[in-house]
Amino acid sequence: MTSRWTLFAVLIVLAILEGLLIGVLSNWPSLLGAPHSRIKEALYVNSPEASSAYLFTRRRPENIRLFVAVLTHAARGARRDAIRETWLAECKQRTDEVNCVFFTDQAGLENETKHAVLKEYEENNDLVFLNIEDNFAFAERLLQTMEWAFKRHKFDFFLRIDDDHFLCLDRLLYELNFRPKQALYWGFVHCKPKIVRVDEAWLLLTHDLIEEILEKRNTTLLCSPYGDQAVALWMMASRKNVTYFMDNERIVHRSAGKDQKFLMNKDVCMQYMSLHGSYPRSMRQFWLSSNVLRRKRDPVTISYDINEIEPFAKLCQHSRVFDYRGFILEYQFEPKPCSENPKWAVSKQKHAGREEFGERYSKYK
């Protein structure tokens, strides 16, 4: 009798152990993966882990109006935090219309910075690492960013923006309802002989142009160390009738965050679209005046004036034909096929930011 009870007890124990084993095996990927798999996915944008599209897919629609790619150096954590506390907060509230993602890389990073940015990724889950080897590889960064967005979303518009731009996101989303959804090339235009181009600090393209660019990625597409030089070449070679939208009055290229003209403005977003050179303190100040205090004054939805897209020839007298030899020698880089992973003499050099080295475009308004 005792042996029967012993056998029965053993069978019960085995059944319990079997159930536990099945539970462990069925949840093995999640037990093994988090958080390491998310770090691995972020580090390698084209890896199998990344293709599973874990990042930013939860509760996000496939079709959105706007994709915002914030290009940021890994060491710029303070800038990213300021953006998260300001206009990115609105982005997270309007996920049916827009997705905003930080893109960075490990080129030239020290171990301390690598560890810090990985910790930041784990805490925020809004950061993607690109596979970039060189400091001066801005066209390649842009291409990888476009590929990442293109694989995951059907968007109407794609905005590449620097991490020191204060973006009036509500105004932009409102205005996109009135803008052409095909062949639009929009931003602050450098109207200079032979080198007319939209500055890459704030560069908006329509979905069809992104698609055309990526189709040529491994064939005829030409690259440059600078993203805006490359895009100017891509627009010139486009099969489409590209609309150059020169919006220099509202997309401020100079360091607005250090200019009292902008800092004293009670609501910059009623007059401007985006303000460059906005560092953490000024970023928060612009948000306070244009969002927090505005909502207290007028909680009703704001409507904005819509500027017409002026004929480009009326605003810029120079030809849109781009020739890199129009730059001074320092910025002359002969275009090379993107498919060959090109290198230039400056590829390993560090990029000099305006926050540390001052305004380099003193002649531009």
Side-chain angles (χ1 to χ4, degrees):
M1 185 70 176
T2 303
S3 60
R4 289 182 179 179
W5 282 110
T6 302
L7 179 60
F8 183 71
V10 169
L11 291 174
I12 291 176
V13 171
L14 289 174
I16 293 173
L17 290 174
E18 182 181 15
L20 290 172
L21 181 60
I22 292 173
V24 170
L25 289 175
S26 64
N27 290 285
W28 184 253
S30 60
L31 292 172
L32 181 65
H36 179 71
S37 66
R38 297 202 297 270
I39 296 176
K40 189 174 182 182
E41 178 184 352
L43 287 176
Y44 304 102
V45 69
N46 292 321
S47 68
E49 288 80 5
S51 66
S52 66
Y54 172 84
L55 289 170
F56 315 110
T57 57
R58 292 171 295 178
R59 299 179 183 175
R60 287 199 177 276
E62 180 181 353
N63 298 322
I64 55 175
R65 185 180 307 164
L66 173 66
F67 186 92
V68 181
V70 186
L71 274 291
T72 176
H73 190 281
R76 302 293 193 190
R79 293 188 186 183
R80 291 189 292 276
D81 284 341
I83 291 176
R84 290 184 182 108
E85 294 171 18
T86 57
W87 61 264
L88 194 76
E90 183 169 12
C91 185
K92 291 179 178 179
Q93 294 174 358
R94 302 175 69 169
T95 55
D96 58 329
E97 300 175 83
V98 58
N99 190 10
C100 304
V101 182
F102 291 108
F103 290 87
T104 191
D105 56 79
Q106 295 194 81
L109 293 188
E110 297 178 356
N111 286 334
E112 183 178 353
T113 304
K114 289 181 183 179
H115 294 151
V117 77
L118 287 175
K119 181 180 179 183
E120 178 187 345
Y121 165 75
E122 281 297 296
E123 293 173 350
N124 296 281
N125 193 34
D126 58 7
L127 188 63
V128 174
F129 275 70
L130 305 172
N131 290 320
I132 298 294
E133 300 174 356
D134 301 322
N135 293 317
F136 264 88
F138 295 105
E140 177 61 24
R141 285 184 177 92
L142 181 56
L143 285 171
Q144 288 192 25
T145 301
M146 289 176 174
E147 286 178 327
W148 195 95
F150 193 81
K151 289 177 180 178
R152 288 160 177 80
H153 293 288
K154 180 67 167 69
F155 50 82
D156 296 325
F157 303 92
F158 173 95
L159 174 63
R160 178 254 186 259
I161 190 171
D162 275 357
D163 63 3
D164 62 340
H165 249 286
F166 177 77
L167 175 63
C168 295
L169 182 61
D170 182 61
R171 177 170 195 146
L172 179 58
L173 288 172
Y174 177 85
E175 188 162 321
L176 289 178
N177 292 305
F178 306 92
R179 297 306 179 197
K181 292 185 179 181
Q182 292 185 332
L184 181 63
Y185 177 39
W186 179 6
F188 179 96
V189 174
H190 295 284
C191 178
K192 300 291 180 179
K194 297 184 179 180
I195 53 174
V196 170
R197 70 206 185 280
V198 169
D199 191 273
E200 65 185 292
W202 199 103
L203 170 65
L204 188 141
L205 297 169
T206 44
H207 184 274
D208 60 328
L209 290 176
I210 302 291
E211 184 175 28
E212 182 184 44
I213 290 166
L214 295 179
E215 285 176 353
K216 300 176 180 178
R217 171 88 151 103
N218 297 315
T219 55
T220 60
L221 203 69
L222 294 176
C223 272
S224 162
Y226 287 97
D228 53 4
Q229 291 193 35
V231 177
L233 290 168
W234 303 343
M235 295 301 101
M236 191 172 63
S238 175
R239 299 183 299 269
K240 303 178 184 300
N241 183 21
V242 178
T243 297
Y244 282 58
F245 184 5
M246 183 172 177
D247 201 1
N248 292 15
E249 296 298 321
R250 301 188 307 156
I251 300 170
V252 178
H253 185 60
R254 295 177 61 84
S255 295
K258 297 181 179 180
D259 191 329
Q260 291 300 313
K261 169 186 174 182
F262 302 100
L263 293 171
M264 298 301 291
N265 191 312
K266 292 184 178 180
D267 190 347
V268 290
C269 289
M270 291 304 295
Q271 187 174 351
Y272 304 101
M273 180 66 72
S274 199
L275 305 175
H276 202 193
S278 299
Y279 306 112
R281 183 174 180 178
S282 56
M283 183 82 69
R284 293 182 174 96
Q285 183 170 336
F286 290 142
W287 178 253
L288 179 64
S289 63
S290 66
N291 185 276
V292 179
L293 297 181
R294 173 207 283 181
R295 293 183 187 279
K296 289 184 178 180
R297 293 193 303 266
D298 186 4
V300 179
T301 302
I302 301 293
S303 62
Y304 304 93
D305 294 332
I306 304 299
N307 297 9
E308 291 186 11
I309 300 179
E310 296 279 358
F312 187 75
K314 181 180 178 180
L315 301 175
C316 181
Q317 62 183 348
H318 303 298
S319 168
R320 295 182 292 183
V321 175
F322 183 85
D323 184 347
Y324 74 96
R325 290 166 294 191
F327 285 101
I328 60 174
L329 190 60
E330 180 184 357
Y331 298 106
Q332 283 188 21
F333 302 102
E334 184 176 1
K336 301 177 182 180
C338 302
S339 59
E340 297 179 1
N341 190 25
K343 307 289 182 181
W344 290 268
V346 297
S347 293
K348 298 296 182 182
Q349 294 181 14
K350 290 186 177 180
H351 181 255
R354 63 165 70 184
E355 185 177 14
E356 295 84 8
F357 297 95
E359 185 68 66
R360 290 169 291 152
Y361 304 103
S362 58
K363 294 182 181 180
Y364 294 144
K365 296 180 179 180

